[in-house]
Every structure is written in structure tokens, then in C-alpha cells.
């Protein structure tokens, strides 16, 4: 019971480690970015879960509601999502330029090419 | 009215960046970016003067009172970092024209300056804000523009360096975000002053430690503290020369500020149970960074890469200061933060000048360069002497304070290691001096002859003179950092 009530946080930990592992273990630059995205998303879930008050309603002012969820983490995460999108787009733009310059998006290939010249 | 000035250094470049994007001609963009940076510098100077006279300046954005709204809180430490970053940015941007024209394709020059202004806005924002989440947002603003700037390098290896920096920088920033999330869950506030009041009440909570650990690891990635430095040599070596000068003098300094701010103002490192082991960690990693960085720098065949590794070593000195943990140690760390920005600014600007003339910074191309570009090389040598820490230069002041702080803590071994580290610095600076001044020039000189363009040269010489000036007149760094260190530890003692 106790374990299940922390379900969100277990999901966060699993996603975080998955993302982190992909970033470290994969040589493909696009996959690295995907891993980075999963890693960031897990933190978004962490924040949003923390904002939920059990039994609380959506934070919209109304007369017949007394208990609200905390809206602040959601707002913070909206900002963080924007930051995440910006990071992903800069990263993908870099991958396109890398592909144009090296003809590959595999880190090992790229390093090999650099060593040759 | 006066408190509005706390916002100015951040607001100017932040609004200036989109305005700069409208300008079509790159020359205008250069002029505009330089004047915006100069205005930011001016307001930072006024801010520092005000904080000396009136103490801490508070500014609530949009009139929302502190714990709810975002507060800008400028004390001596913030003001010193603001002044340093905006000052270096002004010098580098004014000097940048010839080097940028040399390094970057014509259609990208305007946007290059937009990215510079965004990066500046981010760093000044980090230094001015009193809100933990706001700090994260500014960190990402500066980081994202930095990735773009690094990728502008001439060499295609710059792209991979920028990508690696992006991956590690994002992991670091996300770690900081996790840490901030933990403290928010614990305390329900994001305001740093508020956090500082509420965190001690939680006692020895494991979540507080976890939050602090996440933030420290995240910040140390940005700071390039050994062994989290892997992105730095590539990024500094392959970035355009001007970008390296700008980043080396500012970005790691801002990261160090964040580390100090979180460690002492927010988490009260010195009064928590964790302190003892963490101080040992900072000192150990600092020493390893000093030796590893210096040794690699000695054997680098590209001078720019050598200096990048030297930056890792110098970051080591700064963390040693934090690790000593006394007010004197903290002050030494802050003085070195200030002085190192001057040194590395000069060194990388001189390298930018050399790169324009000979087309690179490899040692093989530098033979006899002292005869062809005497002023640039003189500036480089002065800054190099300052880096070693010879009396009469700014570098000596920071080493002196660091050694004094270590002596006061009776850590003799540490003193020995600091001095030994300086000797290693002397080795790689001497290597340049020998090749540039003592070697005869090759028969057929590669690239153009003569001195660097006048504006670039003037800025380099000015920074080199600043190295000497701040070696004699130490009032600014010493009083500001002394006050800041006392305030940091005083806040915690209450």
C-alpha cells in the first residue's frame, strides 16, 4: 500500500534513470537527445506530483470548493517545459549541422573521423 | 526609485537582444551590443557603490512583495559579480569586431551579437536574482546561448564540442532543478532569503542533504570542477576566439557565485553536519583539479587548449578557498574569482589577436611571434605572470590571500600544494615565453605580419594593465569580497 501510494515518485525514479542511461550509453546523438528529454520529463512529473493535494480540486476559484491543489509547481513546470523545448531544438539544430559536416550522427564515427585528420 | 537600478543590468541586455536582432548591418549590431553592455556595466558600477553605502538593495518585480513575487536582492557579492561580468563583457564586445569578422560568416554576425547579449543577460540575471527558480531560468538562458556561440567556431569539431556541452549542461541544470524542487517541497518557498530562514528549522533532514547534493553536482558541472570538467577543454578550444575570451572570464565565475550562494546563504554549509566531509571534498577535488589541469596544460600542443585546462586548474584554487570554509578562505576564493577573470580575459584576447594574424594557436605557429606582435605578446606575458602569482600582479594578491587563509587554518600541506601548483603554472607560461620571444621566427612567416587591429590590441592592453593595477591597488576586490564573505558567514551565524 505504502509503495503504491508513491507510484508517481517510483515512475519518476525509473524514468530518470532510463533517460540518464540512454544519454550515457548511446553513441547516436539523436538518441542522446531523446534520453535527455526523458530525463527532463521525469523531473517535470516530480514537480507536478508535488503540487497535487489529495482531495483538492483544480486551482480555479469557486465558492463550493474549499481545498485546492497547489498551482505553483504547474506554473514553474510550464517554464521548465519551454526551457526543455528550447534545449531540444538547439540540440537538434546542432545534430543537423553535425550531420552536414561529418555525414554521420554516431559519436564513435565522428570521433574516428576527427582522429584521422 | 533608486532600487529600480537593481533591475537595469539584467533588463538592458534582455531587451537589447531582440532589438539587436532587428538591426540588419553587423556593424550596427556590434556597436549596439557594445553600448548595451557598457550601459549594463555603468549601472552595475552604480549598484556596487550603492551597496557599499546603503547595504543590501531589494527590488520586487512588478511590486509583488518578496516571498510571493520574484525578488532581486543585490548585496556586495552580487554587485561584485555583476560588475565583473558586465565589465568583461563590455571590453570583450568592444574588442570583438575584427576577430568576429575573421571567425564568423557574414550572414551570422548580427545573430552572433544577439546570442552574446542573451548570454550576458542570463549571467547577469543569475547574479542579481534572489529567487531560486528564477536563477534556474536565467542559467538556461545563458547556457542555451552559450551552446549556440560555441557552435559558431570555424572548425567542425566546435559542433561536437557544443553538443557535448549541451548534454552535460542540461544534465547539470536539471540536477539543479531537482534540488530546487526538493527544497520547494520541504519549505513551500523559492525565495532564497526565505529558504535560508526555513531550512534550519528542518534539522538534519535527509531530503535537505539530497537537495544540496543535487544542486552542488549540477553547479559543479557548470563550474567545470574536476572531474565534471569534460565539456570545457573542447568547448573552449573550438569556440570562436572571442567567445572563449568571454566565457572563460565570466561563465565559470557565475557558476562559482551560484555555488557560494547556495552553500553559504541558503544551506548554511558551515553549520550543518555535512560540512566537515564536504569541505574535505572541495579541497581534495580542488587540489586534484589544480594538478591535473596544470599538467595537461603543460603538455598541450595547442596554446588555447592549454589555457582551457589551466582554467580547470584555476577553478580548483577557487574551490579550495570554499573548502577552507572560513571567512578568509571565502574571501580568497572571491578575490581569485575577480582576478582570474582579468587574467583569462587578457590571455584569451591576446590569443584572439594572434589567431587573426597567424591563423591558429598551435605552438608550431607561434615561433618568434613576440617579434612580430610585441604588444599582444607583452600583454599575454603580463597576464601569464599574473596567473603564476608573481608579486606586483593581481594573481599574487589572490594566491597571497589563499595561502594566508590556509595558514590560519594551520593546513601546512595545503600551502605547499598551492605553491607547487603555481610552479606548474610557471612551466606552461614559460613554454609560451620561450617559443614566442626566444625562438627565431621561421623562414617563411605564415599569415599576415604586424600587430593586431588597434581596438582589439587596446582592449587587451587595458586588461593587462588592469592585472598590474589590481596587483597594487587592491581596495576594490579586497573590500568588496571581504564584506561579501563576512555577510555570507554572518547571515549563517544568525
Amino acid at each position: 500500500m505504502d509503495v503504491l501510494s508513491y507510484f508517481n515518485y517510483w515512475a519518476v525514479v525509473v524514468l530518470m534513470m532510463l533517460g540518464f542511461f540512454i544519454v550515457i550509453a548511446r553513441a547516436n546523438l539523436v538518441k542522446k537527445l531523446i534520453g535527455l528529454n526523458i530525463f527532463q520529463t521525469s523531473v517535470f512529473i516530480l514537480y507536478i506530483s508535488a503540487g497535487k493535494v489529495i482531495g483538492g480540486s483544480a486551482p480555479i476559484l469557486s465558492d463550493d470548493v474549499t481545498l485546492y491543489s497547489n498551482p505553483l509547481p504547474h506554473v514553474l513546470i510550464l517554464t521548465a517545459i519551454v526551457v526543455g523545448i528550447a534545449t531540444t531544438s538547439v540540440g537538434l539544430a546542432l545534430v543537423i549541422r553535425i550531420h552536414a559536416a561529418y555525414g554521420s550522427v554516431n559519436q564513435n564515427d565522428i570521433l574516428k573521423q576527427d582522429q584521422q585528420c | 526609485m533608486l532600487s529600480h537600478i537593481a533591475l537595469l543590468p539584467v533588463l538592458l541586455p534582455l531587451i537589447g537582444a531582440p532589438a539587436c536582432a532587428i538591426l540588419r548591418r553587423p556593424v550596427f549590431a556590434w556597436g549596439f551590443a557594445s553600448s548595451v553592455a557598457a550601459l549594463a556595466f555603468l549601472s552595475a558600477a552604480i549598484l556596487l557603490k550603492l551597496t557599499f553605502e546603503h547595504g543590501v538593495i531589494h527590488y520586487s518585480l512588478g511590486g509583488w512583495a518578496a516571498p510571493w513575487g520574484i525578488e532581486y536582492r543585490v548585496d556586495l557579492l552580487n554587485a561584485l559579480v555583476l560588475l565583473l561580468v558586465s565589465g568583461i563583457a563590455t571590453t570583450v564586445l568592444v574588442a570583438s569586431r575584427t576577430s568576429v569578422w575573421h571567425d564568423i560568416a557574414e550572414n551570422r554576425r548580427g545573430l552572433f551579437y544577439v546570442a552574446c547579449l542573451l548570454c550576458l543577460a542570463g549571467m547577469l540575471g543569475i547574479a542579481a536574482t534572489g529567487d531560486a527558480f528564477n536563477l534556474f531560468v536565467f542559467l538556461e538562458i545563458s547556457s542555451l546561448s552559450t551552446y549556440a556561440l560555441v557552435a559558431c567556431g570555424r572548425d567542425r569539431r566546435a559542433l561536437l564540442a557544443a553538443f557535448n556541452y549541451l548534454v552535460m549542461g542540461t544534465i547539470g541544470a536539471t540536477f539543479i532543478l531537482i534540488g530546487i524542487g526538493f527544497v520547494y517541497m520541504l519549505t513551500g518557498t523559492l525565495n532564497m532569503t526565505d529558504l535560508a530562514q526555513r531550512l534550519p528549522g528542518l534539522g538534519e533532514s535527509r531530503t535537505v542533504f539530497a537537495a544540496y547534493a543535487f544542486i552542488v553536482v549540477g553547479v559543479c558541472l557548470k563550474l567545470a570542477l574536476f572531474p565534471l570538467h569534460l565539456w570545457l577543454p573542447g568547448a573552449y578550444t573550438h569556440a570562436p576566439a572571442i567567445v572563449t575570451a568571454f566565457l572563460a572570464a565570466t561563465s565559470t565565475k557565475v557558476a562559482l557565485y551560484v555555488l557560494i550562494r547556495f552553500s553559504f546563504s541558503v544551506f548554511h554549509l558551515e553549520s550543518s553536519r555535512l560540512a566537515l566531509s564536504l569541505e574535505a571534498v572541495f579541497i581534495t577535488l580542488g587540489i586534484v583539479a589544480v594538478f591535473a589541469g596544470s599538467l595537461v596544460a603543460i603538455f598541450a600542443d595547442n596554446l588555447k587548449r592549454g589555457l582551457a585546462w589551466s582554467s580547470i586548474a584555476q577553478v580548483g584554487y577557487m574551490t579550495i578557498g570554499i573548502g577552507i570554509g572560513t571567512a578568509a578562505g571565502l574571501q580568497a576564493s572571491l578575490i581569485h574569482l575577480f582576478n582570474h577573470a582579468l587574467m583569462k580575459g587578457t590571455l584569451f584576447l591576446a590569443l584572439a589577436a594572434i589567431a587573426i594574424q597567424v591563423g591558429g594557436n598551435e605552438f608550431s605557429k607561434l615561433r618568434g611571434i613576440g617579434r612580430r606582435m610585441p604588444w599582444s605578446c607583452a600583454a599575454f606575458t603580463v597576464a601569464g605572470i599574473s596567473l603564476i602569482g608573481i608579486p606586483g600582479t593581481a594573481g599574487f594578491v589572490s594566491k597571497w590571500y589563499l595561502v594566508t587563509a590556509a595558514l590560519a587554518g594551520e593546513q601546512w600541506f595545503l600551502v605547499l600544494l598551492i605553491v607547487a601548483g603555481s610552479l606548474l603554472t610557471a612551466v606552461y607560461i614559460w613554454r609560451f615565453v620561450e617559443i614566442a620571444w626566444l625562438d627565431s621566427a621561421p623562414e617563411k612567416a605564415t599569415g599576415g605580419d604586424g600587430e593586431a587591429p588597434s581596438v582589439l590590441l587596446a582592449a587587451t592592453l587595458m586588461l593587462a594593465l588592469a592585472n598590474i593595477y589590481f596587483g597594487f591597488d587592491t581596495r576594490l576586490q579586497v573590500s568588496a569580497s571581504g564584506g561579501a564573505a563576512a555577510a555570507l558567514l554572518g547571515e549563517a551565524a544568525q
Side-chain angles (χ1 to χ4, degrees), chain B residues 212 225 256 259-260 263-264 269-270 275-286 315-333 402 405-406 411 414:
Chain B
Y212 181 64
L225 175 63
L256 190 80
L259 182 63
I260 290 177
S263 295
F264 293 95
L269 178 64
E270 66 294 328
L276 224 59
S277 56
L278 246 168
E279 282 170 1
V281 168
F282 279 140
I283 290 183
T284 317
L285 289 183
V315 164
Y317 285 117
M318 295 174 217
T319 43
I320 290 175
I322 298 178
I324 292 174
T326 58
L330 209 52
Q331 188 185 11
S333 182
L402 195 58
Q411 288 162 307
L414 194 57

Side-chain angles (χ1 to χ4, degrees), chain A residues 40 47 70 76 83 87 101 114, chain B residues 133 156-157 170 177 181 184:
Chain A
Q40 285 181 309
Y47 267 72
N70 184 357
L76 295 179
V83 169
T87 313
D114 270 341
Chain B
F133 194 81
R156 65 178 180 174
R157 278 173 290 182
T170 307
L177 188 63
Y184 175 71

Side-chain angles (χ1 to χ4, degrees), chain B residues 172-473:
Chain B
T174 311
F175 268 44
I176 295 174
L177 188 63
I178 298 171
I180 293 173
F182 279 169
V183 287
Y184 175 71
M185 288 175 198
L186 284 167
T187 60
T189 179
L190 288 165
N191 184 290
M192 289 186 197
T193 325
D194 222 21
L195 278 176
Q197 282 162 1
R198 294 191 194 189
L199 279 174
L202 295 167
E204 306 275 300
S205 155
R206 198 171 288 179
T207 320
V208 177
F209 290 152
Y212 181 64
F214 270 115
I215 290 177
V216 165
V217 172
V219 175
C220 285
L221 260 166
K222 288 281 171 192
L223 178 65
L225 175 63
F226 192 91
L228 303 171
H229 64 281
L230 291 169
W231 58 269
L232 190 141
Y236 279 18
T237 313
H238 301 302
I242 281 298
V243 174
T244 310
F246 181 46
L247 290 183
T250 52
S251 84
T252 47
K253 312 295 166 291
V254 172
L256 190 80
Y257 157 78
V258 177
L259 182 63
I260 290 177
R261 178 60 81 199
F262 271 108
S263 295
F264 293 95
S265 282
V266 177
F267 282 97
H268 307 315
L269 178 64
E270 66 294 328
S271 57
S272 85
R273 187 165 58 89
L274 205 61
L276 224 59
S277 56
L278 246 168
E279 282 170 1
V281 168
F282 279 140
I283 290 183
T284 317
L285 289 183
I287 288 172
V288 176
V290 166
F291 282 91
S294 304
L295 281 174
V296 179
I298 290 172
F299 293 107
D301 54 3
N302 181 327
L303 186 54
K304 207 174 170 198
R305 180 175 281 272
L307 287 183
W309 278 96
S310 137
S311 275
I312 295 168
Q314 302 295 321
V315 164
Y317 285 117
M318 295 174 217
T319 43
I320 290 175
I322 298 178
I324 292 174
T326 58
L330 209 52
Q331 188 185 11
S333 182
L334 290 173
I335 293 175
H336 197 53
L337 180 153
F338 184 89
N339 292 341
H340 179 244
L342 295 178
M343 300 168 207
K344 275 287 148 61
T346 322
L347 290 171
F348 279 117
L349 272 186
L351 279 190
I354 292 172
I356 293 177
Q357 296 299 341
V358 302
N361 294 129
E362 289 83 10
F363 273 113
S364 54
K365 289 181 179 164
L366 296 180
R367 288 179 54 206
I369 192 77
R371 296 208 179 76
R372 281 152 64 197
M373 307 178 69
W375 290 106
S376 301
C377 290
F380 188 99
T381 313
V382 167
I385 289 172
S386 181
L387 195 66
I388 302 168
I390 288 173
T393 56
F396 174 68
V397 182
S398 31
K399 293 271 166 64
W400 175 259
Y401 273 86
L402 195 58
V403 168
T404 318
L407 281 179
E410 299 199 333
Q411 288 162 307
W412 310 106
F413 196 55
L414 194 57
V415 176
L416 210 68
L417 289 172
I418 292 170
V419 176
S422 298
L423 291 179
L424 287 179
T425 316
V427 174
Y428 60 76
I429 294 300
W430 173 252
R431 203 171 153 215
F432 169 81
V433 170
E434 191 180 344
I435 287 176
W437 297 98
L438 304 181
D439 266 21
S440 56
E443 290 290 305
K444 49 178 196 339
T446 48
D449 276 323
E451 208 23 278
S454 50
V455 183
L456 180 55
L457 184 62
T460 317
L461 285 176
M462 204 190 79
L463 276 180
L465 286 179
N467 270 303
I468 298 178
Y469 175 79
F470 285 112
F472 287 103
D473 181 7

Side-chain angles (χ1 to χ4, degrees), chain B residues 62-266:
Chain B
W64 295 85
W68 295 282
I70 291 171
E71 179 199 29
Y72 278 24
R73 184 179 168 285
V74 179
D75 63 11
L76 271 178
L77 175 61
N78 302 68
L80 185 71
V81 177
L82 283 173
L83 183 82
L84 179 74
V85 171
S86 56
I88 294 282
T90 312
T91 323
V92 170
L93 281 178
V94 169
S96 68
R97 209 186 112 183
T98 22
S99 183
V100 168
W101 261 240
H102 177 256
D103 275 346
I104 289 161
E106 194 182 351
N107 57 349
R108 297 213 191 103
R109 285 171 199 157
L111 292 175
F112 175 85
Y113 284 107
V114 176
C116 281
L117 280 181
L118 275 178
C119 187
L120 177 64
M123 289 199 266
L124 293 177
I126 295 171
T129 188
D131 183 278
F133 194 81
N134 204 229
L135 187 142
F136 162 75
V137 175
F138 276 122
L139 187 77
E140 282 292 41
I141 291 177
S142 73
S143 303
L144 283 169
S145 38
T146 309
Y147 309 145
L149 287 174
V150 170
C152 284
R154 289 163 70 87
D155 195 337
R156 65 178 180 174
R157 278 173 290 182
L159 296 170
L160 196 64
F163 187 87
N164 284 337
Y165 187 13
L166 180 134
V167 169
M168 295 200 203
T170 307
I171 291 174
T174 311
F175 268 44
I176 295 174
L177 188 63
I178 298 171
I180 293 173
F182 279 169
V183 287
Y184 175 71
M185 288 175 198
L186 284 167
T187 60
T189 179
L190 288 165
N191 184 290
M192 289 186 197
T193 325
D194 222 21
L195 278 176
Q197 282 162 1
R198 294 191 194 189
L199 279 174
L202 295 167
E204 306 275 300
S205 155
R206 198 171 288 179
T207 320
V208 177
F209 290 152
Y212 181 64
F214 270 115
I215 290 177
V216 165
V217 172
V219 175
C220 285
L221 260 166
K222 288 281 171 192
L223 178 65
L225 175 63
F226 192 91
L228 303 171
H229 64 281
L230 291 169
W231 58 269
L232 190 141
Y236 279 18
T237 313
H238 301 302
I242 281 298
V243 174
T244 310
F246 181 46
L247 290 183
T250 52
S251 84
T252 47
K253 312 295 166 291
V254 172
L256 190 80
Y257 157 78
V258 177
L259 182 63
I260 290 177
R261 178 60 81 199
F262 271 108
S263 295
F264 293 95
S265 282
V266 177

